[in-house]
Amino acid sequence: LTIGQYWLDFSSIDCFSSDTLTFDVLEPGTLRSDGVLLSIVSPVWVDVKDTVPIVASFKNIGEKSVEAQFKGKISNDQNKIIQVIESEKISVPISEVTNFTFYFTPQKSGRYIASGRVFYDKKRTFESSAVINARAKV
């Protein structure tokens, strides 16, 4: 394999199990970069036209600092993209957690999904998401 990040889908029929894993192929002596998108958090219930925060938390679990950037979207329950969300690149030191904060103002009642992943050092995390339910003001 060439140097880079790889994704592996596997399943075990006998165990009724399947999963996706990621691994790296590195040059000898290279410090490993690794990170995890811990969560995407937002209020579950909001009122229409209220501006709500969406916070994505990323942890650098590698052996060197990385430049990390969150890229994602907010979709409605018909899977139509309502808003693209993207951060600036941020330097994340080893073992540190960085929060990427975005704001969303639902214009109609309904269910919205904020989803995305963090890109860092030519790699990416698994995708994560959060549900936002917007209701009409009473």
Side-chain angles (χ1 to χ4, degrees), residues 66-132:
V66 297
E67 292 287 316
Q69 180 180 28
F70 181 88
K71 293 182 181 183
K73 64 185 178 199
I74 299 172
S75 305
N76 65 12
D77 51 5
Q78 286 87 35
N79 207 24
K80 180 182 175 192
I81 297 174
I82 304 300
Q83 182 177 329
V84 173
I85 49 180
E86 186 173 318
S87 74
E88 297 292 325
K89 290 184 180 180
I90 298 174
S91 179
V92 184
I94 301 167
S95 300
E96 293 290 318
V97 174
T98 295
N99 291 326
F100 298 96
T101 303
F102 305 95
Y103 296 93
F104 173 60
T105 305
Q107 299 299 313
K108 297 180 182 178
S109 60
R111 182 174 188 244
Y112 298 89
I113 299 173
S115 62
R117 61 181 75 220
V118 175
F119 292 81
Y120 62 98
D121 205 26
K122 299 181 183 176
K123 296 173 66 174
R124 60 185 176 175
T125 64
F126 287 96
E127 187 172 86
S128 188
S129 63
V131 173
I132 303 167

Side-chain angles (χ1 to χ4, degrees), residues 1-6 23-27:
L1 298 173
T2 59
I3 294 169
Q5 181 184 32
Y6 291 86
F23 65 94
D24 300 324
V25 174
L26 304 172
E27 289 185 33

Side-chain angles (χ1 to χ4, degrees), residues 11-46:
S11 61
S12 173
I13 296 170
D14 295 337
C15 297
F16 302 105
S17 179
S18 65
D19 206 353
T20 300
L21 301 174
T22 180
F23 65 94
D24 300 324
V25 174
L26 304 172
E27 289 185 33
T30 302
L31 293 176
R32 180 179 55 88
S33 63
D34 201 0
V36 61
L37 179 54
L38 299 172
S39 63
I40 297 177
V41 178
S42 67
V44 177
W45 287 96
V46 301

